[in-house]
Amino acid sequence: MQLNQQTDFAFRLLMYLADHAASNTASETTTDGATAPTALPKIREIADYFGISYNHLMKVANTLAARGYVKARRGKGGGLALARPESSISLGAVARDMEGHWELVECFGKAGDCRITASCRLAPILGEALEAFWAVLDRYTLADIAHLPPGETPLTFHRQPPQRTQ
């Protein structure tokens, strides 16, 4: 199984916005001593940071905005921001929204015409594997993957070592 590029870009974009929000929670002070809100990150800035296509990231940002994960503001002072708290953004939900469909094998689709569908023993196993995949992603939120020091992962904090059976 492989996530598509849009899902990868969506996770990167969300992590960037979460890190930006955390590092800019206070207002910036202007030269005259007044406070001004920090600038929102622009899609071009994020695309350049990750070295990815601006056009692809624009499509991803539009999808994330339409699904309610980010807020997009146009014009001067515009940019992107998270639309809700990091802890309420499920990685599984984001992946499902970005992926569209998951047809691991032909019989998972609507137009499957496999000759062995009625007696196939593989489809239920692959279905179970897919459910396990989604269950793991559903256990994590954006809060679990944002703001981690380099080299750390959510698994460092959440995963138990496998039990050995003899």
Side-chain angles (χ1 to χ4, degrees), residues 148-162:
L148 294 175
E152 295 292 333
T153 70
L155 296 179
T156 306
F157 306 107
H158 297 292
R159 188 172 183 190
Q160 298 296 319

Side-chain angles (χ1 to χ4, degrees), residues 10-148:
F11 287 144
R12 293 186 205 193
L13 175 67
L14 291 169
M15 287 187 293
Y16 189 96
L17 295 177
D19 285 342
H20 180 269
S23 64
N24 294 298
T25 54
S27 299
E28 292 180 347
T29 304
T30 61
T31 54
D32 62 359
T35 58
T38 58
L40 295 174
K42 313 278 189 277
I43 294 173
R44 172 73 61 204
E45 168 191 335
I46 300 166
D48 289 347
Y49 178 81
F50 289 115
I52 58 180
S53 164
Y54 168 83
N55 290 331
H56 284 100
L57 193 60
M58 175 70 78
K59 291 177 187 177
V60 168
N62 286 334
T63 301
L64 291 173
R67 300 276 199 260
Y69 297 109
V70 301
K71 294 181 286 190
R73 190 178 329 154
R74 294 178 181 257
K76 187 174 181 171
L80 299 173
L82 293 176
R84 48 188 156 148
E86 300 164 11
S87 60
S88 71
I89 299 176
S90 161
L91 299 184
V94 171
R96 284 182 190 88
D97 284 342
M98 298 307 297
E99 292 291 325
H101 64 83
W102 274 82
E103 297 170 1
L104 293 181
V105 288
E106 180 183 3
C107 58
F108 281 23
K110 294 177 182 165
D113 62 355
C114 178
R115 293 178 184 209
I116 63 168
T117 297
S119 63
C120 182
R121 294 181 184 159
L122 179 60
I125 295 167
L126 292 176
E128 183 180 344
L130 184 58
E131 287 176 25
F133 174 80
W134 290 122
V136 170
L137 283 179
D138 287 338
R139 284 197 330 248
Y140 296 97
T141 68
L142 180 57
D144 293 315
I145 62 172
H147 326 298
L148 294 175

